[in-house]
């Protein structure tokens, strides 16, 4: 799979991506080149993360991303993570 096809896949996923997946994958979307400054994808991400109604519908607990793996990349993992 070439890099351009990989980018197309991420772009297609972005439009139907649940908000929790959007919160968990900003680094991957940036590293693939999807979320470049001022791109349509970046505008969509900012819109979804800034829309109060979307955030309320998603019902994401503030600690959800921390408990599900983001803390495992942290140097404080031994104190907080499993």
């Amino acid at each position: 799979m070439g890099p351009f096809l990989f980018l197309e896949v991420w772009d297609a996923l972005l439009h139907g991506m649940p908000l929790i997946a959007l919160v968990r994958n900003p680094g991957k979307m940036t590293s693939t080149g999807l979320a470049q400054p001022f791109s349509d994808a970046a505008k969509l991400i900012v819109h979804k993360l800034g829309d109060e109604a979307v955030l309320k519908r998603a019902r994401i607990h503030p600690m959800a991303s921390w408990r599900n793996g983001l803390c495992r990349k942290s140097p404080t993992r031994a104190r907080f993570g499993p």
Side-chain angles (χ1 to χ4, degrees), residues 20 23-24 60-71:
I20 189 70
V23 169
R24 288 182 185 164
I60 299 173
H61 191 276
M63 296 298 286
S65 60
W66 179 81
R67 288 181 46 94
N68 289 322
L70 291 182
C71 67

Side-chain angles (χ1 to χ4, degrees), residues 36-66:
Q36 295 296 320
F38 307 107
S39 68
D40 290 337
K43 290 175 187 174
L44 180 61
I45 292 167
V46 169
H47 174 72
K48 282 186 173 185
L49 292 177
D51 189 348
E52 186 177 344
V54 171
L55 290 169
K56 284 182 178 180
R57 272 195 316 267
R59 299 182 57 160
I60 299 173
H61 191 276
M63 296 298 286
S65 60
W66 179 81

Side-chain angles (χ1 to χ4, degrees), residues 3-35:
F4 185 69
L5 183 58
F6 192 65
L7 181 61
E8 286 181 354
V9 170
W10 270 96
D11 187 42
L13 289 172
L14 177 62
H15 296 284
M17 188 177 288
L19 198 59
I20 189 70
L22 192 65
V23 169
R24 288 182 185 164
N25 292 298
K28 190 64 175 176
M29 288 185 279
T30 303
S31 69
T32 59
L34 179 67

